[in-house]
Each structure stands twice: as structure tokens, then as C-alpha cells.
Amino acid sequence: METFEVKAYGAQSVEAPLKQLNIVRREATPVDVEIDILYCGVCHSDLHTAKNDWGGTVYPAVPGHEIVGRVTKVGSGVTKFKVGDLAAVGCMVDSCRECASCKQDLEQYCIPGFTGTYNGHDKHLGTRTYGGYSEKVVVDEHFVLRVPEHLDPAATAPLLCAGITTWSPLRHWNVGEGSNVAIVGLGGLGHMAIKLAKALGANVTLFSRSPGKEKDALELGADAVVISTDKGQMSGAKGKFDLIIDTVPYVHDVNHYIPSLNINGTLVLVGYLGGLEPVLNSVPMIMGRKSVAGSVIGGIAETQEMLDFCGEHNIVSEVEVIKMQDINEAYERMLKSDVRYRFVIDMGSLKN
Ligand code: NAP
Ligand code: ZN
Ligand code: ZN
């Protein structure tokens, strides 16, 4: 298979800061789209992967799965894209396309497993997949999304992960006019969840540990903010919510939020991946027919639906645009929740 080299930024080991390196991309096959990357969002999952928080990172690791760019080449069989189009790639670049999940447009739940945009198994090259902290990416057109041309491309990039990861549970749990929704954590995912839930017609509350974020949350569209460390405010929220989307990246006490679910309410975990500590107490769940669930990103058709919805409602992310060379500092700031509300890398900076 023919290949070419591009510049990228990645981690060479768990301790090493990210730095410039070269990676190989395949020449577009008949079904592929080659994209010149303009912007790439910085997701907390990028940091988890670079730091091997989940285990399984193979180095060098090139993160980045909130990709927006211009199409520079298309394979002979590509029908959805032409050279010059704005296009986007999210968290998946492949899946089996044959299993029951894939057949229902649920590629994110592909039974043999989807291929992640980074740190996945690249079936073409036999290497790991490398993400969007790079000049170009080559992806099967099925996994490439159309981007509304009138949206700011830098602020659109985070929709490809933060947007779809919160859109999918909002849709699955039928959030609409008058639903009562709460979001835990105001970061990249959290701020998109507020905007999307509001646009769907819900009453939206933010649970945050950070009193300084109240004003921002209200400006983003939240109707109320509950400081999760304040006992009085927490008991005032009892029994209120049909759906809680919990975006906290690290282990935390999920039991703390269950009393604020209404009967039949669901708390859906999208952030922390792993065993819960302290363990879940079933009593309030059983006594109120409440559920704790999980959700991962969203399918390709659902991602397109979300992008089209954002186009109609002029919804984009709140972003701080950085240079590729600033990524290590951005990770430090992300760990301190010091980002309003998504870093996005201007990939032009890698060309210099
Ligand atoms: P982020 O921008 O860092 O935001 C996380 C927010 O959680 C923070 O702003 C903070 O909000 C709160 N928080 C952080 N540490 C906390 C702690 N120790 N205890 C309580 N609250 C804490 O991260 P993100 O990019 O939104 O990602 C959030 C998580 O979702 C990450 O773990 C990421 O890997 C995961 N993720 C999952 C999927 C999926 O498909 N399920 C997709 C993308 C990302 P406050 O200051 O308001 O409390
Ligand atoms: Zn992500
Ligand atoms: Zn499949």
C-alpha cells in the first residue's frame, strides 16, 4: 500500500511531554477521503490516552478526535465528498459494518469493536491509528461527516466528540420540551450538554464543584446551578431530574447525585471509565425505580444529525484556540479545569 509522511504531535512515553514527530498515512483508497486538518479540539480523552490512564496506550500516541478540515483528495468510489469540501472526523475511523450494532447505525457499539481515531488498530497499515494532532488524515468516507459551512470551523471541531457524546444520551432518553435535565461538570462535554439540552427545550441545571462557573453556566443556557459541595443546595435539588449526564473524568461518588433524580430518572455516566468508588447503593435506585447507565460517543448517522441540528440552531463550542506547540500547557490547564470550555488547536501552527 502506498503511503506518505506527515508532521504530527504525539507522546513517546507516559512521562514525556508531547512533541513533534512524523507519522505515515495511507494514500487514499477508492473509498477514502484525504483531509487537510484545519482545527483539532482537545478532549480530556486525549490526555487520558497520552498519560495511559486507561491502560493500553501504545506509544508513540498521536491524540485528537475532534477534526475539521478541507478535503484534498477523494478515492474514485467516493460519493459524499469532493475536493475543497469542509469535512470532519470524530472518534471513529472504522468498524466491522456487518454486526447487529453497525447495521443499526450504532457503530460506536460495534460488536468486534470500532476502530478509534487514535490508539486503535489500523487494519490498512498494521500500526496504531494516529489522530488529529497532525497535518492530514485519510479516512473511509463512511466515517467522514459533512460540516455546515456557515459555522466557525474552529468552534465546530469540539462537536465531533464533546457534542455527539452529550447529544446521544439526550436523544436516547428522549429529552425534549419541558424535560428536566442536569449536567455534572462544566468542561468540554458539560458546556455542550447545556447548549444542546437547552436547544431541545429542556430545563437545564448544572452541578459543579466550582462556584466561579455559575455566571458562565447561565450564559451558556443553564436555568440553574447547584454547587455540588453545598449540602443545602444539594437537598434543594431532590427528586428534580429526569436525566443527569455525568461528565466527571475521575472516580467520584455517584451516590451523591441519585437523590436528585425523579422517579424513573436515569443518571448516565459519560466521563469516568472504571469501577465506582464508593460502590453504588441500590436502595435509592430500587425505592425510586432509578437507573445508572453509561453511553459512548454516538453513531455516524447520529453525529450527522447533531451537526445538522447545530447548523440549524447556530450551536458551536466555546473555544480557546491554541498553537500545536502549546499542547502540554493546555493539558496542565485542563487538569485544573482551567479551560473555557474547549481548547482547539489551529493546525496551521504545525506547518510552520
Ligand atoms: P473536561 O473539559 O476536563 O471537563 C470535566 C469537568 O468535570 C471539569 O470541568 C470539572 O467541572 C469536572 N471535574 C473535573 N475533575 C473532577 C473531579 N475530580 N471531581 C469532580 N468533578 C470534576 O473534560 P471533558 O473533555 O469534558 O471530558 C470529560 C470526561 O468524558 C473525560 O473523562 C473524557 O475521557 C470522557 N469522554 C467520554 C466520552 C464518551 O463517549 N463516553 C467521550 C468524550 C469524553 P466543574 O469544575 O464544573 O466541577
Ligand atoms: Zn473525546
Ligand atoms: Zn460492527
Side-chain angles (χ1 to χ4, degrees), residues 175-254:
V175 166
E177 211 59 53
S179 303
N180 291 306
V181 174
I183 312 300
V184 188
L186 187 57
L189 267 56
H191 92 290
M192 285 315 308
I194 292 178
K195 290 191 182 207
L196 294 170
K198 195 68 200 167
L200 286 168
N203 304 309
V204 186
T205 297
L206 171 72
F207 285 116
S208 174
R209 352 155 261 182
S210 310
K213 291 183 181 173
E214 279 144 324
K215 187 166 163 280
D216 285 0
L218 299 177
E219 281 172 12
L220 288 164
D223 300 284
V225 178
V226 172
I227 299 301
S228 52
T229 48
D230 182 315
K231 273 193 181 153
Q233 289 193 32
M234 284 305 284
S235 57
K238 261 192 189 146
K240 280 205 169 156
F241 304 112
D242 309 310
L243 182 69
I244 300 178
I245 300 181
D246 182 336
T247 75
V248 174
Y250 299 99
V251 72
H252 60 290
D253 188 2
V254 171

Side-chain angles (χ1 to χ4, degrees), residues 95-107:
S95 71
C96 85
R97 321 278 284 275
E98 288 171 352
C99 72
S101 299
C102 285
K103 283 191 172 144
Q104 294 174 77
D105 291 329
L106 296 169
E107 300 90 342

Side-chain angles (χ1 to χ4, degrees), residues 42-46 65-66 91 118 160-162 165 189 297 342:
V42 179
C43 177
H44 209 110
S45 303
D46 300 357
H65 59 203
E66 294 182 338
C91 305
Y118 55 78
L160 277 300
C161 177
T165 301
L189 267 56
I297 48 176
R342 199 59 144 186

Side-chain angles (χ1 to χ4, degrees), residues 38-322:
L38 297 172
Y39 295 100
C40 184
V42 179
C43 177
H44 209 110
S45 303
D46 300 357
L47 192 162
H48 287 309
T49 300
K51 303 287 170 214
N52 198 23
D53 286 347
W54 298 325
T57 299
V58 176
Y59 296 94
V62 175
H65 59 203
E66 294 182 338
I67 299 168
V68 170
R70 287 270 167 211
V71 174
T72 46
K73 220 180 251 181
V74 293
S76 55
V78 167
T79 57
K80 281 194 314 187
F81 297 92
K82 58 181 190 322
V83 171
D85 284 351
L86 204 54
V89 178
C91 305
M92 301 183 283
V93 289
D94 210 348
S95 71
C96 85
R97 321 278 284 275
E98 288 171 352
C99 72
S101 299
C102 285
K103 283 191 172 144
Q104 294 174 77
D105 291 329
L106 296 169
E107 300 90 342
Q108 75 275 36
Y109 302 115
C110 174
I111 292 161
F114 68 81
T115 304
T117 302
Y118 55 78
N119 201 41
H121 170 69
D122 186 329
K123 73 175 184 203
H124 300 273
L125 301 176
T127 59
R128 301 310 275 182
T129 52
Y130 300 119
Y133 297 3
S134 60
E135 291 176 296
K136 281 180 184 262
V137 67
V138 179
V139 180
D140 184 312
E141 77 162 328
H142 180 77
F143 291 86
V144 182
L145 288 307
R146 291 184 310 280
V147 178
E149 288 272 350
H150 66 282
L151 297 180
D152 170 6
T156 300
L159 301 179
L160 277 300
C161 177
I164 184 59
T165 301
T166 51
W167 177 257
S168 187
L170 289 169
R171 298 285 285 148
H172 181 74
W173 277 277
N174 295 315
V175 166
E177 211 59 53
S179 303
N180 291 306
V181 174
I183 312 300
V184 188
L186 187 57
L189 267 56
H191 92 290
M192 285 315 308
I194 292 178
K195 290 191 182 207
L196 294 170
K198 195 68 200 167
L200 286 168
N203 304 309
V204 186
T205 297
L206 171 72
F207 285 116
S208 174
R209 352 155 261 182
S210 310
K213 291 183 181 173
E214 279 144 324
K215 187 166 163 280
D216 285 0
L218 299 177
E219 281 172 12
L220 288 164
D223 300 284
V225 178
V226 172
I227 299 301
S228 52
T229 48
D230 182 315
K231 273 193 181 153
Q233 289 193 32
M234 284 305 284
S235 57
K238 261 192 189 146
K240 280 205 169 156
F241 304 112
D242 309 310
L243 182 69
I244 300 178
I245 300 181
D246 182 336
T247 75
V248 174
Y250 299 99
V251 72
H252 60 290
D253 188 2
V254 171
N255 297 298
H256 191 56
Y257 301 97
I258 306 294
S260 59
L261 285 173
N262 195 355
I263 312 301
N264 297 325
T266 300
L267 180 146
V268 55
L269 292 161
V270 295
Y272 173 65
L273 210 54
L276 295 176
E277 291 168 31
V279 293
L280 265 185
N281 180 355
S282 69
V283 176
M285 292 167 64
I286 288 175
M287 299 314 287
R289 198 159 62 188
K290 297 173 182 179
S291 310
V292 173
S295 180
V296 74
I297 48 176
I300 294 299
E302 196 176 39
T303 306
Q304 192 62 60
E305 173 195 72
M306 178 272 313
L307 284 167
D308 295 345
F309 179 89
C310 288
E312 273 163 43
H313 294 260
N314 279 312
I315 296 174
V316 287
S317 178
E318 304 299 309
V319 300
E320 183 178 335
V321 177
I322 61 168

